[in-house]
């Protein structure tokens, strides 16, 4: 028992000793005040709020530490505090400070609405209004007396956009609090995400007064959407409830990604165990503060002061906002000392031109000097380098951290000049990096180490797959409809391709077939079916041609079939046994025959007058004269000289051989062309008609690309219809040719191969493909259309969801 009392006394003396200097510096006595030139600074805080209680303690510690470190300074900041909650109390407190307190500066309006009024009031009386909270209003170019000792929110928005871009998330959902600051930061986010081409598919504002059921209802809507990346921007009290309810709704599981802004991440230490445990796997950013001995000593004194001060706020630990408050007070003290002691009678100047004489307020002569020195002050503070640029703190480095259990792990950093990096480095040439591959490993929700894709097919709902009801070419799509249940079933080559792709997808997908053209309307078209996306169908599976004009309102998958449009005509005559005489015309055959007879007669006359004096001749004279009649033909096979003896006969035979060689080459070429290349070129007659497939794009193609008049076009739906029309011909109400795509014509020629042939060039198309509504991927982005329509409906019903 004595040992316990002894320890208690030692501990009590330790606290008293640690806080003696703090109390001595704050409680300035009247006899001490006479030694220094006092600069009165007004402080307006809500001491019941986490931010207000933390700022109040940091201000007191800053004054204590600064003047203990600089005891020879001739000036002292003298604070006049006002505890004010809400807009009205804050404005009244600011008026009282300016009227009765005659302060030369004001610290601390915490909200954007209060800050705007106080800043405008400070601008009229030339008193700088210095805010240090994220929700404070932005400095205005028209009022230079409004100062924020925190960085511009634009840099934080750029860091968030860079992280999402680095993880290759194509779209995000933003959850933000329904306050002025929530909408103010939202504008920065929209601009930053637009610059990196990341879509914001859904923006939900959640009111601070929303109960748990309303938040859960909003989560149920989000679960039905494909986006799985959520960016949260809200205060600690609302964020505490949000993540507990998100875990309850099953949205803190594998596949989800959550990112929090510094508005929430700076106050994580204020959350209880349940809220922190529900945030496991969350990624966050906050301004980076490097460790130092001075910061460690400050943290130790902070803990002791939290015990002895018994702060009324809910704050449990300090954060970077507290450090910025600390550095702000130190910067004000430095600025006041640079100005030096000033006669109190010269601090204010009366004037009636400012419009403030009716409120008994005076224009400050000291305020502009204080603002000038404060804006130009640069020093190394607890938070790092303290420097104001255009009325705001210069952009810091942002720390990227991962919530693991009830702790945190730093995975990397983001800076304005270097982008995303694993470690901070101030050496070497700054090279910008947008990749997250160099970051440390992240533990995502659901204890997953795999980076979330950012989207998923919702478990609820089915993909509406449209299929056409056709009378022909059912090899591609064959649709059957149950008359009792109206259930649609589809088979065929196109359906098989679709079903074969489903097992390869990285997620399960529920689908249901919906038929089109169940009335067998002859005027139906694929274009009309595609225009039913997304109202009736989410996608279309079938023999749909990828065609450029259709890409204006739908998107296609890669082709899965052969492409091209060809012309098919009838074979005029089949091949027969007399084909060998077709290479030459009948009159040429007659001329050749007559030429052979005439040449035989000429040779007979020439050889008749020649005596056979050659004893070594192979043939006797009588036999040689008989051969003369066959010489025009025989010379081709037996070109011996002994067939003739007369020199003129030889000349005639040489001439004949030359003519025969030309005739043989012409005959061979023509016969080869008949047997291999069809010489019967198709040409449209004056009364021609051309057939095309019913419902296809061929009608527009023939009219626009080949300039065939619409009156010459007839549509047919099946192979049999094509054959009947071609058999009749144009003169008997049919057609002379068919223009259609290669896959269809292969089926047609397979059945009627010997009767028809393909002629002319092949007009290239992109083949068959699946169709959806302006998507980047074949299937999953269909849900983007559903979300857009839901957003429009909700926006019409409520102004809170955009």
């Amino acid at each position: 028992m004595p040992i316990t009392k002894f320890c208690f006394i030692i501990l009590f003396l330790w606290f008293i000793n640690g806080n003696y200097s703090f109390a001595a510096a704050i409680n300035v006595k009247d006899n001490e005040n006479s030694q220094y030139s006092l600069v009165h600074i007004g402080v307006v805080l809500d001491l019941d709020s986490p931010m207000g209680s933390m700022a109040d303690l940091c201000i007191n510690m800053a004054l204590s530490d600064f003047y203990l470190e600089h005891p020879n300074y001739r000036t002292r900041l003298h604070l006049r505090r006002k505890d004010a909650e809400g807009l009205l109390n804050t404005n009244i407190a600011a008026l009282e400070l300016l009227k009765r307190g005659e302060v030369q500066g004001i610290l601390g309006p915490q909200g954007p609405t209060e800050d705007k009024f106080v800043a405008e009031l400070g601008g009229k009386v030339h008193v700088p209004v210095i805010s240090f909270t994220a929700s404070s209003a932005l400095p205005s170019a028209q009022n230079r007396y409004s100062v924020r000792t925190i960085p511009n929110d634009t840099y934080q928005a750029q860091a968030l956009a860079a992280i999402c871009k680095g993880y290759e998330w194509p779209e995000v959902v933003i959850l933000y609090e329904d306050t002025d600051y929530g909408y103010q930061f939202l504008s920065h986010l929209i601009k930053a995400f637009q610059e990196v081409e990341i879509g914001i598919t859904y923006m939900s504002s959640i009111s601070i007064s929303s109960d748990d059921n309303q938040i859960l209802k909003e989560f149920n809507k989000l679960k039905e959407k494909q986006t799985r990346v959520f960016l949260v921007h809200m205060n600690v009290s609302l964020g505490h409830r949000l993540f507990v309810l998100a875990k309850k709704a099953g949205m803190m599981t594998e596949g989800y990604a959550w990112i929090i802004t510094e508005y929430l991440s700076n106050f994580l230490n204020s959350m209880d165990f349940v809220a922190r445990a529900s945030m496991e796997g969350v990624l966050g950013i906050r301004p980076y503060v490097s460790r130092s001995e001075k910061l460690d000593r400050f943290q130790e004194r902070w803990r002791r002061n939290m015990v002895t001060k018994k702060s009324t706020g809910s704050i449990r630990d300090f954060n970077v906002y507290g450090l910025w408050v600390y550095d702000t007070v130190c910067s004000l003290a430095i600025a006041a000392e640079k100005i030096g002691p000033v006669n109190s009678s010269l601090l204010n100047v009366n004037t009636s031109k400012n419009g403030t004489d009716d409120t008994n307020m005076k224009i400050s002569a000291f305020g502009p000097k204080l603002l000038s020195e404060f804006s130009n002050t640069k020093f190394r503070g607890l938070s790092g380098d303290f420097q104001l640029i255009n009325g705001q703190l210069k952009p810091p480095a942002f720390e990227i951290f991962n919530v693991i259990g009830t702790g945190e792990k730093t995975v990397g950093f983001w800076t304005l000049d270097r982008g995303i990096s694993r470690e901070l480095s101030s050496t070497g040439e700054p090279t910008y990096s947008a990749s997250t591959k160099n970051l440390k490993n992240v533990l995502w929700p659901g204890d997953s180490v795999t980076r979330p894709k950012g989207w998923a097919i919702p478990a609820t709902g089915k993909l509406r797959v449209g299929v056409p009801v056709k009378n022909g070419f059912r090899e591609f799509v064959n649709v059957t409809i149950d008359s009792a249940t109206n259930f649609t079933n589809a088979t065929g080559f196109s359906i098989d391709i679709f079903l074969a792709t489903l097992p390869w997808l990285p997620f399960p997908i529920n689908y249901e077939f919906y038929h089109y053209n169940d009335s067998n309307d002859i005027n139906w078209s694929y274009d009309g079916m595609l225009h039913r996306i997304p109202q009736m169908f989410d996608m279309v599976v079938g023999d749909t041609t990828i065609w450029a004009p259709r890409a204006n309102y739908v998107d296609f998958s890669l082709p899965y079939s052969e492409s091209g449009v060809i012309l098919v005509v009838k074979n005029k005559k089949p091949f027969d046994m007399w084909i060998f005489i077709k290479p030459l015309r009948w009159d040429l055959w007659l001329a050749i025959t007559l030429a052979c007879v005439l040449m035989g007669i000429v040779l007979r006359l020439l050889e008749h007058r020649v005596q056979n004096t050659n004893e070594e001749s192979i043939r006797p004279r009588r036999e040689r004269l008989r051969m003369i009649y066959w010489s025009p033909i025989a010379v081709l096979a037996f070109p011996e000289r002994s067939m003739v003896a007369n020199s003129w006969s030889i000349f005639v035979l040489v001439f004949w051989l030359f003519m025969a060689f030309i005739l043989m080459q012409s005959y061979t070429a023509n016969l080869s062309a008949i047997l291999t290349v069809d010489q019967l070129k198709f040409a449209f007659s004056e009364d021609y008609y051309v057939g095309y497939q019913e419902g296809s794009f061929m009608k527009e193609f023939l009219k626009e690309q080949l300039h065939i008049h619409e009156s010459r076009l007839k549509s047919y739906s099946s192979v049999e219809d094509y054959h009947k029309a071609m058999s009749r011909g144009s003169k008997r109400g049919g057609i002379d040719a068919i223009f259609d795509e290669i896959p269809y014509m292969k089926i047609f020629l397979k059945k009627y191969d010997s009767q028809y042939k393909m002629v002319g060039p092949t007009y290239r198309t992109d083949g068959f493909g699946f169709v959806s509504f302006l998507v980047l991927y074949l299937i999953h982005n269909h849900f983007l259309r559903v979300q857009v329509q839901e957003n429009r409906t909700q926006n019409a019903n409520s102004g809170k969801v955009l």
Side-chain angles (χ1 to χ4, degrees):
M1 191 67 178
I3 296 177
T4 305
K5 290 183 178 180
F6 177 75
C7 293
F8 177 76
I9 292 172
I10 293 297
L11 184 62
F12 177 76
L13 292 176
W14 179 65
F15 279 121
I16 294 299
N17 181 61
N19 291 280
Y20 171 76
S21 59
F22 170 76
I26 297 302
N27 299 318
V28 182
K29 298 180 181 179
D30 294 337
N31 58 352
E32 292 176 337
N33 290 344
S34 60
Q35 300 176 9
Y36 308 109
S37 176
L38 300 181
V39 178
H40 300 287
I41 302 296
V43 180
V44 182
L45 295 173
D46 179 9
L47 297 180
D48 292 329
S49 66
M51 186 65 198
S53 60
M54 179 186 64
D56 181 60
L57 189 54
C58 288
I59 290 173
N60 293 336
M61 294 179 66
L63 286 176
S64 171
D65 295 345
F66 185 82
Y67 288 119
L68 281 176
E69 189 178 347
H70 304 88
N72 298 326
Y73 272 23
R74 299 166 296 170
T75 59
R76 290 290 187 271
L77 296 182
H78 184 258
L79 304 182
R80 298 187 175 180
R81 292 176 171 83
K82 290 288 184 180
D83 183 6
E85 180 182 0
L87 175 61
L88 181 60
N89 292 333
T90 301
N91 293 340
I92 294 175
L95 281 172
E96 289 181 355
L97 288 173
L98 292 174
K99 288 171 58 177
R100 301 176 184 177
E102 297 183 350
V103 296
Q104 308 305 318
I106 294 180
L107 283 172
Q110 294 175 221
T113 307
E114 300 93 327
D115 196 29
K116 288 180 182 178
F117 175 80
V118 179
E120 185 177 352
L121 202 60
K124 288 186 176 182
V125 296
H126 297 180
V127 171
V129 177
I130 304 170
S131 57
F132 41 75
T133 61
S135 58
S136 56
L138 294 174
S140 172
Q142 292 78 17
N143 184 7
R144 66 187 185 94
Y145 290 93
S146 175
V147 181
R148 284 206 331 169
T149 55
I150 62 173
N152 194 312
D153 289 329
T154 301
Y155 305 116
Q156 182 186 183
Q158 291 176 356
L160 292 168
I163 293 172
C164 294
K165 185 70 174 180
Y167 281 115
E168 299 178 353
W169 292 326
E171 54 200 27
V172 298
V173 171
I174 299 178
L175 302 173
Y176 62 99
E177 67 175 36
D178 187 18
T179 60
D180 290 342
Y181 178 57
Y183 289 101
Q184 175 181 305
F185 187 75
L186 183 64
S187 62
H188 295 295
L189 283 177
I190 294 174
K191 182 178 179 181
F193 279 94
Q194 285 178 344
E195 290 176 352
V196 296
E197 298 180 349
I198 293 180
I200 300 176
T201 59
Y202 193 82
M203 295 180 289
S204 175
S205 62
I206 300 178
S207 174
I208 299 176
S209 60
S210 299
D211 57 31
D212 292 353
N213 291 331
Q214 290 175 323
I215 297 177
L216 285 173
K217 184 178 179 180
E218 188 68 18
F219 280 153
N220 290 333
K221 294 179 182 178
L222 295 176
K223 290 172 66 176
E224 296 176 358
K225 304 180 184 303
Q226 73 159 359
T227 308
R228 290 295 181 263
V229 181
F230 301 96
L231 194 153
V232 179
H233 177 72
M234 55 188 58
N235 61 37
V236 63
S237 61
L238 186 56
H240 173 282
R241 297 168 52 209
L242 182 88
F243 281 99
V244 172
L245 294 174
K247 186 174 183 179
K248 183 179 179 181
M251 299 179 66
M252 299 300 297
T253 56
E254 185 175 358
Y256 286 87
W258 292 82
I259 309 175
I260 57 175
T261 66
E262 68 169 68
Y263 192 31
L264 177 58
S265 61
N266 283 325
F267 292 93
L268 290 183
N269 292 333
S270 303
M271 289 186 171
D272 57 26
F273 175 81
V274 176
R276 288 295 298 268
S278 65
M279 294 181 65
E280 185 169 32
V282 170
L283 207 63
I285 68 168
R286 60 190 170 202
Y288 173 69
V289 178
S290 60
R291 304 302 302 181
S292 63
E293 292 184 4
K294 186 176 180 181
L295 182 59
D296 293 338
R297 293 195 299 269
F298 172 83
Q299 187 173 9
E300 183 180 349
R301 293 195 310 274
W302 168 274
R303 292 169 182 169
R304 295 200 303 266
N305 290 333
M306 284 295 294
V307 177
T308 58
K309 191 70 176 177
K310 294 182 180 180
S311 177
T312 59
S314 60
I315 195 70
R316 297 181 180 181
D317 202 355
F318 71 92
N319 54 40
V320 69
Y321 291 115
L323 301 181
W324 285 333
V325 172
Y326 186 99
D327 291 343
T328 299
V329 174
C330 294
S331 180
L332 273 175
I334 295 173
E337 182 65 22
K338 287 181 180 179
I339 298 173
V342 178
N343 190 337
S344 59
S345 61
L346 300 178
L347 291 177
N348 299 299
V349 179
N350 286 321
T351 181
S352 59
K353 295 182 180 181
N354 64 336
T356 63
D357 54 335
D358 56 337
T359 58
N360 298 322
M361 290 191 297
K362 301 176 182 179
I363 291 182
S364 173
F366 187 80
K369 298 179 182 179
L370 182 64
L371 175 64
S372 177
E373 293 295 339
F374 178 71
S375 300
N376 295 324
T377 299
K378 301 178 183 178
F379 70 100
R380 181 73 179 179
L382 287 181
S383 62
D385 294 330
F386 187 92
Q387 179 183 355
L388 296 180
I389 300 175
N390 297 326
Q392 298 185 87
L393 196 65
K394 74 171 187 177
F398 283 94
E399 175 188 7
I400 306 172
F401 67 93
N402 185 207
V403 178
I404 301 177
T406 57
E408 300 160 8
K409 170 189 173 183
T410 301
V411 298
F413 301 90
W414 181 90
T415 56
L416 187 62
D417 56 344
R418 295 179 182 269
I420 299 174
S421 60
R422 187 185 183 95
E423 301 290 345
L424 279 180
S425 175
S426 58
T427 60
E429 288 291 331
T431 56
Y432 191 87
S433 173
S435 174
T436 57
K437 295 181 179 179
N438 295 328
L439 295 180
K440 299 177 183 178
N441 294 331
V442 176
L443 180 66
W444 301 100
D447 295 330
S448 174
V449 295
T450 304
R451 175 187 64 85
K453 297 190 300 291
W455 58 269
I457 299 297
T460 59
K462 292 184 178 180
L463 193 71
R464 299 172 300 171
V465 180
V467 288
V469 177
K470 304 176 61 175
N471 293 326
F473 296 102
R474 294 181 178 178
E475 293 84 354
F476 295 98
V477 181
N478 185 20
V479 177
T480 57
I481 305 171
D482 190 330
S483 57
T485 62
N486 201 33
F487 177 78
T488 302
N489 186 35
T491 58
F493 176 72
S494 299
I495 304 301
D496 292 340
I497 294 293
F498 169 71
L499 297 178
T501 60
L502 298 184
W504 293 92
L505 296 177
F507 48 83
I509 181 173
N510 296 322
Y511 66 91
E512 185 174 353
F513 289 122
Y514 288 80
H515 57 268
Y516 181 76
N517 188 35
D518 57 346
S519 61
N520 293 325
D521 183 9
I522 61 173
N523 294 321
W524 81 282
S525 67
Y526 282 89
D527 290 336
M529 185 178 183
L530 299 185
H531 279 294
R532 297 296 181 94
I533 300 175
Q535 291 79 14
M536 181 181 294
F537 314 116
D538 296 320
M539 64 177 300
V540 169
V541 172
D543 47 347
T544 310
T545 303
I546 303 173
W547 193 33
R550 293 173 176 172
N552 295 326
Y553 52 91
V554 291
D555 205 13
F556 293 93
S557 69
L558 293 176
Y560 63 86
S561 71
E562 188 178 2
S563 62
V565 174
I566 58 173
L567 175 66
V568 173
V569 297
K570 289 186 292 186
N571 282 323
K572 291 188 175 181
K573 276 190 179 181
F575 294 150
D576 54 28
M577 61 178 296
W578 297 104
I579 193 172
F580 70 91
I581 66 173
K582 290 183 179 180
L584 302 179
R585 294 174 54 180
W586 67 270
D587 52 350
L588 185 56
W589 282 114
L590 180 61
I592 293 173
T593 303
L594 294 177
C596 289
V597 173
L598 181 61
M599 191 172 298
I601 295 173
V602 171
L603 291 175
R604 174 71 179 84
L605 294 175
L606 292 174
E607 290 295 316
H608 179 73
R609 301 185 334 186
V610 176
Q611 299 296 324
N612 187 11
T613 59
N614 187 2
E615 297 179 353
E616 298 179 355
S617 176
I618 298 176
R619 299 180 180 87
R621 183 172 182 276
R622 181 184 296 267
E623 182 180 354
R624 190 170 65 248
L625 291 176
R626 288 199 301 267
M627 287 291 297
I628 290 299
Y629 295 103
W630 298 99
S631 59
I633 299 174
V635 73
L636 300 177
F638 310 103
E640 296 93 347
R641 179 179 178 85
S642 59
M643 292 182 62
V644 292
N646 192 304
S647 297
W648 287 104
S649 298
I650 295 173
F651 174 77
V652 171
L653 285 177
V654 169
F655 180 78
W656 167 246
L657 285 174
F658 179 75
M659 293 291 296
F661 177 78
I662 295 176
L663 290 173
M664 286 185 347
Q665 294 299 318
S666 178
Y667 178 87
T668 303
N670 289 345
L671 183 61
S672 298
I674 292 174
L675 295 176
T676 57
V677 181
D678 190 357
Q679 292 294 310
L680 300 176
K681 295 184 179 180
F682 176 80
F684 291 124
S685 62
E686 295 182 358
D687 298 327
Y688 73 91
Y689 286 94
V690 176
Y692 66 93
Q693 189 178 166
E694 178 183 288
S696 71
F697 76 105
M698 290 305 306
K699 182 177 181 179
E700 298 299 324
F701 177 83
L702 296 174
K703 288 166 53 180
E704 297 176 3
Q705 301 295 327
L706 302 185
H707 306 290
I708 300 177
H709 196 271
E710 185 175 357
S711 61
R712 298 294 181 182
L713 302 177
K714 294 183 178 181
S715 63
Y716 301 93
S717 61
S718 66
V719 171
E720 293 75 14
D721 292 344
Y722 273 152
H723 176 61
K724 292 178 182 178
M726 291 286 281
S727 299
R728 291 195 301 267
S730 297
K731 295 181 178 181
R732 292 185 295 171
I735 55 177
D736 290 331
I738 303 172
F739 263 113
D740 212 336
E741 294 180 88
I742 293 176
Y744 300 122
M745 292 296 95
K746 283 188 174 181
I747 296 175
F748 178 73
L749 294 177
K750 182 180 180 181
K751 188 172 184 178
Y752 305 103
D753 183 36
S754 61
Q755 303 180 43
Y756 303 96
K757 59 193 172 186
M758 294 185 293
V759 297
T762 299
Y763 301 91
R764 305 306 300 177
T765 61
D766 292 327
F768 295 159
F770 301 144
V771 190
S772 188
F773 175 63
L774 292 177
V775 293
L776 298 176
Y777 305 97
L778 174 60
I779 297 177
H780 85 275
N781 271 20
H782 130 78
F783 289 96
L784 179 61
R785 192 271 313 162
V786 179
Q787 292 180 2
V788 170
Q789 289 207 340
E790 288 180 0
N791 293 348
R792 291 174 179 172
T793 304
Q794 294 170 356
N795 188 29
N797 298 332
S798 172
K800 294 187 180 296
V801 180
L802 302 180

